[in-house]
Amino acid sequence: MPLSAILPDLSPWRSTRDFRLLWIQGLVTYFGSFMAMVALPLQIKELTDSPVAVGAMGAVELVPLIVFGLYGGALADAVDRRKVILLTEAALGLLAVVLLVNALLPDPLLWPLYVVAAGVSALAGLQRPALDSLMARIVPHDQLTAAAALNSLRWNVGAIAGPSLAGLVVAYAGHASAYAITIVGFTVSVLMCTRLSPAPAAHDAEKPSLKGLAEGARYAWSRPVLLGTYAIDMAAMFFAFPNTIFPFLADDLDAKWSLGLMYAAGAVGSLLLSLTSGWTSRVRRHGLLVVFGAAGWGLAITAAGWFSNVWVVLVCLAFAGAGDMLSGLGRSTIWNQTIPDELRGRLAGIEVLSYSVGPQLGQVRAGAAAGWTGTRPAIWSGGLACVASVGVLAAVLPRLISYNADTDPDAKLRRERGEATRDEAERGEPELTA
């Protein structure tokens, strides 16, 4: 097999200027954001010396993410998506300024840290649907899987290098320096966002409303393939997301030094799959990617909880990350291939919930199970429950297994309308609405 067959497919990078801008902008944002993501909980720890105070960040972030994620989906269908991305990115930069000013005070205050954490979560909820729904508009239909792989590659590079660099900056230069770098990152990102092409809503788009949100929910409920992607992802994360008990796992394995590696192992596995993802561009049965990837995640988490050798555990966690990456590629492709453009923002808001609420609840489940059964049984039992739930959902929703990008009615309709829209744009005629 030639090397080019497994290396990442760079077609979206070569064919689409806006994709290149978003890819680079996202990488810059990731590095800047990870500075704050590492510095913020560490600063709370230094101010309070309380694990409860640090853990409370998750509580203040969850509700804004849910509320504004749903509203952000409706907003993305009603206004220019570029403007949403630009304004939220600028607002995130202003919140970083608040963190910097607070860090420079003789006695930094605690409450602004929670306010900023909630604000970041709300802005992320507003922005993510616009970002996700923009991808299908700027990338050709047959390059969506490749685009998802390249975006995951960008994320994994940031997830591995970002926290490592942030830890060094905080340790040797302090919180204020980390926040200053965050501000620089968002400044660069905003400048790049100004160069994106406008992405206006359809001419007959309605204002954001509960009625519009309900319309999006009804569409999702009427599509078994979409329901399958949401349900499998939430089940996998609920049963088999043990990150919150990694510190206890490291103690259990008598390897406290491995804690950082445990958190990074999943990203390493995802990165390796991203770097060898060229073959995924030729896959047409993306539902199988979702199912096999989620089941592989569960099996790898089961093994991580079962084995007692720390190096074997780390390898298992890397395999888990690769499985999650594979499932994510399938989900992203199905979403972008089948959802109408006029509903894509609202459905992206639902997608934000499907892949964010699951891990949040999964951490609660893992912690409660560990307190009842012990750390390692909580991990391997959750992995087995994940595999079982994926099997049940695949059996109950056979349309997901049979999904084929070439024959699915929704995918065919989106492809035909996408081609018509590009032909209209090349002739300089008014854009068709999807």
Side-chain angles (χ1 to χ4, degrees):
M1 179 183 294
L3 187 60
S4 59
I6 61 173
L7 290 177
D9 183 354
L10 300 179
S11 299
W13 179 274
R14 290 192 293 264
S15 65
T16 310
R17 170 184 172 272
D18 280 347
F19 179 81
R20 291 193 297 272
L21 283 172
L22 280 176
W23 198 94
I24 297 171
Q25 171 267 333
L27 187 63
V28 172
T29 299
Y30 286 154
F31 274 95
S33 297
F34 275 118
M35 288 289 168
M37 286 174 61
V38 170
L40 187 56
L42 284 176
Q43 189 174 17
I44 294 176
K45 177 180 179 295
E46 289 183 5
L47 291 174
T48 66
D49 196 29
S50 168
V52 175
V54 177
M57 276 185 61
V60 302
E61 291 170 342
L62 182 58
V63 173
L65 180 62
I66 293 173
V67 173
F68 286 92
L70 288 173
Y71 180 75
L75 189 67
D77 285 334
V79 301
D80 189 320
R81 291 167 186 170
R82 186 193 70 155
K83 290 182 180 179
V84 176
I85 297 169
L86 178 61
L87 292 175
T88 52
E89 200 75 356
L92 286 166
L94 291 176
L95 289 181
V97 172
V98 173
L99 290 175
L100 175 60
V101 171
N102 185 61
L104 292 174
L105 294 175
D107 295 305
L109 302 172
L110 178 62
W111 65 266
L113 304 184
Y114 290 113
V115 172
V116 168
V120 169
S121 185
L123 289 169
L126 285 174
Q127 184 188 79
R128 189 61 185 263
L131 273 173
D132 289 350
S133 60
L134 183 61
M135 199 56 56
R137 181 178 287 193
I138 65 175
V139 175
H141 189 275
D142 60 350
Q143 296 177 11
L144 288 171
T145 304
L150 290 175
N151 284 336
S152 296
L153 175 63
R154 175 191 63 186
W155 161 255
N156 288 310
V157 169
I160 294 170
S164 302
L165 180 60
L168 292 174
V169 171
V170 173
Y172 291 101
H175 302 97
S177 297
Y179 298 143
I181 294 174
T182 301
I183 294 170
V184 172
F186 279 116
T187 301
V188 174
S189 175
V190 167
L191 292 175
M192 297 192 73
C193 286
T194 60
R195 299 182 60 196
L196 291 171
S197 302
H203 64 85
D204 56 351
E206 299 179 0
K207 293 182 179 180
S209 65
L210 291 177
K211 178 183 176 182
L213 290 175
E215 181 185 0
R218 284 196 298 271
Y219 179 87
W221 185 257
S222 69
R223 297 301 192 274
V225 174
L226 292 180
L227 285 179
T229 63
Y230 303 147
I232 284 180
D233 185 42
M234 291 193 70
M237 294 298 103
F238 175 75
F239 287 115
F241 192 78
N243 289 29
T244 192
I245 57 175
F246 278 171
F248 301 95
L249 178 61
D251 289 345
D252 223 32
L253 299 175
D254 195 25
K256 292 183 179 181
W257 53 267
S258 68
L259 179 59
L261 296 178
M262 288 181 183
Y263 284 118
V268 171
S270 296
L271 177 61
L272 291 176
L273 186 67
S274 299
L275 291 172
T276 56
S277 62
W279 61 275
T280 61
S281 293
R282 298 184 292 277
V283 172
R284 316 310 298 162
R285 301 283 298 278
H286 300 102
L288 291 177
L289 293 186
V290 175
V291 172
F292 289 151
W297 159 271
L299 286 173
I301 293 296
T302 301
W306 186 262
F307 288 107
S308 57
N309 183 288
V310 65
W311 293 108
V312 175
V313 170
L314 291 171
V315 170
C316 291
L317 293 175
F319 272 106
D324 187 44
M325 168 70 181
L326 188 65
S327 183
L329 285 180
R331 293 194 309 271
S332 177
T333 303
I334 290 173
W335 294 341
N336 284 325
Q337 283 183 342
T338 64
I339 298 172
D341 188 70
E342 66 270 18
L343 289 173
R344 190 166 282 124
R346 279 164 282 181
L347 271 293
I350 295 174
E351 291 151 18
V352 168
L353 300 187
S354 78
Y355 56 67
S356 60
V357 174
Q360 295 278 4
L361 295 178
Q363 294 189 77
V364 175
R365 185 217 66 85
W372 182 38
T373 65
T375 301
R376 289 169 61 194
I379 295 174
W380 63 254
S381 63
L384 289 177
C386 167
V387 176
S389 64
V390 169
V392 170
L393 288 169
V396 172
L397 298 166
R399 289 281 299 277
L400 178 63
I401 296 292
S402 62
Y403 175 85
N404 188 308
D406 294 328
T407 59
D408 181 84
D410 289 325
K412 289 174 67 176
L413 182 60
R414 300 288 82 70
R415 180 170 60 250
E416 291 166 0
R417 289 186 174 179
E419 291 170 353
T421 298
R422 284 193 294 275
D423 290 343
E424 293 275 339
E426 289 172 0
R427 294 196 298 267
E429 298 177 9
E431 183 179 331
L432 294 174
T433 57

